[in-house]
Amino acid sequence: MRAAARRARSVLEAGIGVVAVKPVPLAAAMPAAAGFPGLELLATGVLMLGADERVLYANPAAENLFELSRNKLLGNTPAKLFGDAAPLAAAIARATASRTSYTEQDIELGAVGKTRMRLACTVSPIDFGGAAFLVEFRHIDRQLRIAREERLQEQQQANRDLVRSLAHEIKNPLGGIRGAAQLLERELAQPRLAAQLSEPLTEYTQVIIDEADRLQALVSRLLTPSRLPNHRRTNVHEILIRARNVVQAEFPAIRFELEFDTSIPEFDADPDQLAQAVLNIVKNAAEAVATGTPLPQIVLGTHVVRGVTLARKRHRLGLAVSVRDNGPGIPEAIRERVFYPLVSGREGGSGLGLTIAQTLVAQHHGAIEWTSEPGKTIFTIMLPLGVPPSAAADTRHEVPAP
């Protein structure tokens, strides 16, 4: 921590060449921005606060981070600029008490009226030109997203291994149950037994057969993602239009809108697997808005993202496929488990749609992100552009068919 304080002081000294030790009036406390070349060039946001916690200096990175001009930052306290700034106030208090730098690794902060961000914040006590604190902010949303993706991938792989193991164990006896029910049905249909029965029992054997078929279909869905992708040139917009047509036939009251970036080229992928992933997400959105939403609407969109990190690899270009609906949003109780198998926010749902979609997208080196609030839920499939099939094959998890 003391090293951080020394580093902050050395940056100041490098910027102005001298360290003032005598406080000066607020109006003259901070020299012009040109006097801080060391701070002006930093990529992290830096604020200098006086003893009364008013902002005396802000570097360009802080202006960009908080989307406020220097004039709007200067002279204001964090409480006025950011509203609820209790974590920052606590960090300042700790730095004051210890007289050393203090770092808060994860605080939520944002200018009033703007989106709040996840930041790491380091507060260093200083004694320079009326400034009492140097506060450095680093955006950690990207790091948190990468860490969250890694945890999700690990959890998903563990879930997939468990579910597939159970599916294989269930699938084998299902065939025996169904075969035995068919044999019993044939025996009950023989005249000598039919005459002894007061009512036909074949309807009961048919229930057994139907339920066995239903479980067989469920198990087959659990095992579907085990097939390796068959890469070929794929048009993402054809996949989205096909998904819209299928879902709209089932939910004709829903209004669909298309927001496509038509400049997106074809890319190497398995169109059948991506079509299944997109269809699962679009159908989930349709089921969410079908009941209780006055004017149900789903918006399908595509756009190119630059400099995206997926599966711990940095890609120059990425493809974002978004599905936005105006439904009630994801229930709070399942938000941390939306991709878990057999977890559903809808009565009667199988809880497999998003699980399968996540698996299929992961086999393409991609990820699924989501945000949700009442009236606006967005699921975004992120895929790298320009990844050859051989590279994508490195992270596939093949499960042999039973």
Side-chain angles (χ1 to χ4, degrees):
M1 291 184 181
R2 291 178 180 175
R6 287 196 298 271
R7 182 174 67 87
R9 182 177 291 276
S10 66
V11 171
L12 291 173
E13 292 172 353
I16 66 168
V18 71
V19 177
V21 295
K22 183 179 179 180
V24 296
L26 178 62
M30 291 292 105
F36 295 92
L39 298 181
E40 291 287 304
L41 297 177
L42 287 180
T44 53
V46 173
L47 299 180
M48 283 190 188
L49 308 181
D52 59 357
E53 299 187 8
R54 292 182 183 275
V55 177
L56 303 180
Y57 166 81
N59 72 344
E63 296 180 79
N64 292 333
L65 179 65
F66 298 116
E67 299 180 358
L68 292 174
S69 67
R70 184 172 293 175
N71 289 337
K72 290 185 178 180
L73 289 166
L74 297 182
N76 290 309
T77 63
K80 185 173 182 180
L81 291 170
F82 309 125
D84 180 13
L88 177 57
I92 294 173
R94 287 177 179 268
T96 302
S98 63
R99 297 303 301 167
T100 58
S101 296
Y102 176 80
T103 298
E104 189 67 58
Q105 295 293 348
D106 186 4
I107 67 172
E108 194 172 276
L109 207 64
V112 175
K114 300 184 184 296
T115 303
R116 296 179 71 82
M117 301 166 288
R118 305 283 290 278
L119 305 171
C121 166
T122 299
V123 181
S124 301
I126 60 173
D127 182 11
F128 167 72
F133 305 100
L134 184 141
V135 188
E136 184 179 8
F137 298 96
R138 298 181 301 281
H139 213 306
I140 61 171
D141 275 349
R142 180 168 167 266
Q143 293 94 315
L144 291 174
R145 181 174 60 80
I146 292 173
R148 185 169 58 248
E149 285 181 2
E150 291 178 354
R151 289 195 304 271
L152 183 61
Q153 287 175 357
E154 292 174 359
Q155 184 64 53
Q156 285 295 313
Q157 186 57 41
N159 288 336
R160 284 194 295 268
D161 292 343
L162 174 61
V163 169
R164 286 172 182 169
S165 297
L166 291 174
H168 282 295
E169 294 299 322
I170 294 171
K171 193 171 186 178
N172 294 329
L174 275 179
I177 294 172
R178 192 182 192 283
Q182 288 177 316
L183 292 174
L184 180 59
E185 187 175 44
R186 291 174 190 169
E187 288 294 324
L188 292 174
Q190 291 183 11
R192 59 183 180 82
L193 288 178
Q196 300 175 17
L197 298 173
S198 58
E199 58 181 31
L201 299 179
T202 54
E203 61 177 291
Y204 301 117
T205 58
Q206 191 58 48
V207 168
I208 297 174
I209 294 171
D210 291 344
E211 288 302 299
D213 289 342
R214 185 180 66 82
L215 288 175
Q216 184 76 21
L218 180 65
V219 169
S220 297
R221 289 186 65 193
L222 288 171
L223 296 174
T224 295
S226 64
R227 179 179 67 81
L228 293 177
N230 179 21
H231 288 262
R232 55 187 182 273
R233 301 304 288 174
T234 302
N235 186 316
V236 68
H237 298 132
E238 291 179 356
I239 290 175
L240 287 168
I241 291 172
R242 189 191 320 163
R244 179 202 62 181
N245 294 341
V246 170
V247 174
Q248 196 159 44
E250 186 177 353
F251 301 91
I254 297 176
R255 182 165 65 93
F256 279 82
E257 290 188 8
L258 305 179
E259 296 179 354
F260 291 168
D261 179 352
T262 55
S263 67
I264 295 174
E266 292 186 346
F267 61 101
D268 286 324
D270 186 322
D272 295 330
Q273 290 194 353
L274 288 187
Q276 183 64 58
V278 169
L279 181 61
N280 287 358
I281 294 174
V282 175
K283 191 169 182 180
N284 267 17
E287 291 169 345
V289 301
T291 56
T293 303
L295 298 172
Q297 180 187 49
I298 294 176
V299 180
L300 307 180
T302 60
H303 65 275
V304 172
V305 181
R306 298 185 182 276
V308 62
T309 301
L310 295 168
R312 290 179 288 184
K313 291 184 180 180
R314 186 76 171 172
H315 301 276
R316 189 171 65 85
L317 294 176
L319 168 64
V321 180
S322 61
V323 178
R324 184 173 79 241
D325 69 70
N326 62 342
I330 298 175
E332 193 69 34
I334 66 169
R335 284 179 175 245
E336 297 299 320
R337 300 178 292 123
V338 289
F339 293 112
Y340 284 19
L342 308 179
V343 174
S344 176
R346 180 176 56 87
E347 186 176 352
S350 67
L352 294 175
L354 290 178
T355 302
I356 292 173
Q358 176 79 342
T359 301
L360 296 175
V361 170
Q363 289 183 163
H364 287 77
H365 266 209
I368 301 178
E369 302 173 355
W370 62 272
T371 60
S372 182
E373 60 185 50
K376 185 179 180 181
T377 296
I378 305 175
F379 275 83
T380 304
I381 298 175
M382 300 293 296
L383 296 169
L385 286 178
V387 176
S390 58
D394 295 341
T395 58
R396 299 174 196 150
H397 302 281
E398 182 174 5
V399 176

